[in-house]
Amino acid sequence: MANPADPEDTASIPADPLQLVRQAWQDVLGTDEVPLDTGFFEAGGNSMLLVMLSDELSDRTGRELEVAELFRHDTVRAQARLLDPSYEPEAPAPAAAAGRGRLLGSARRGRADSGPQQPEGSAAR
């Protein structure tokens, strides 16, 4: 993996990492609409497409990007920061961040409210 502090690796840092990542997502997902703060899987991606995204970004930057890194950094903004840690993209709108928090909170509450689960094929006696 490239080290951004190494002068030999500066050529791999894109001029506009946000645009580079956005274009790679557009190509891999086959869409013109790519949200900046939505996770890759939420935007329509799957495991195979994530592998393709890793290859696409590696080809565009000359840096080997691990699929696990992209999984942990799952939005366009986060992946732009991954490519260039000194890059400071515009922060997400508060409404978008709050909406995600509400979504996660409701999902957690849904799991908590569902009660104990019976293994499939077993009946309560």
Side-chain angles (χ1 to χ4, degrees):
M1 184 170 144
N3 179 358
D6 187 343
E8 291 182 18
D9 291 333
T10 56
S12 67
I13 298 174
D16 184 355
L18 190 69
Q19 186 57 36
L20 183 140
V21 173
R22 176 183 267 172
Q23 183 63 51
W25 278 43
Q26 289 172 336
D27 293 348
V28 169
L29 295 174
T31 182
D32 291 332
E33 296 297 319
V34 176
L36 299 178
D37 300 304
T38 299
F40 184 74
F41 292 97
E42 295 171 37
N46 58 42
S47 298
M48 184 59 70
L49 291 175
L50 188 62
V51 171
M52 291 172 63
L53 179 64
S54 174
D55 290 344
E56 188 71 26
L57 289 171
S58 293
D59 288 348
R60 291 174 188 229
T61 63
R63 292 177 54 189
E64 191 64 35
L65 294 168
E66 300 291 329
V67 173
E69 289 178 299
L70 298 181
F71 186 78
R72 285 190 303 270
H73 301 84
D74 71 335
T75 66
V76 170
R77 278 188 216 277
Q79 289 174 6
R81 277 190 224 105
L82 178 67
L83 292 175
D84 182 1
S86 66
Y87 179 65
E88 291 295 330
E90 186 179 305
R100 184 174 184 185
R102 284 192 301 271
L103 179 63
L104 290 174
S106 65
R108 288 183 188 120
R109 283 191 302 277
R111 283 195 307 256
D113 295 341
S114 64
Q117 298 292 317
Q118 293 282 336
E120 191 171 323
S122 66
R125 296 176 208 257

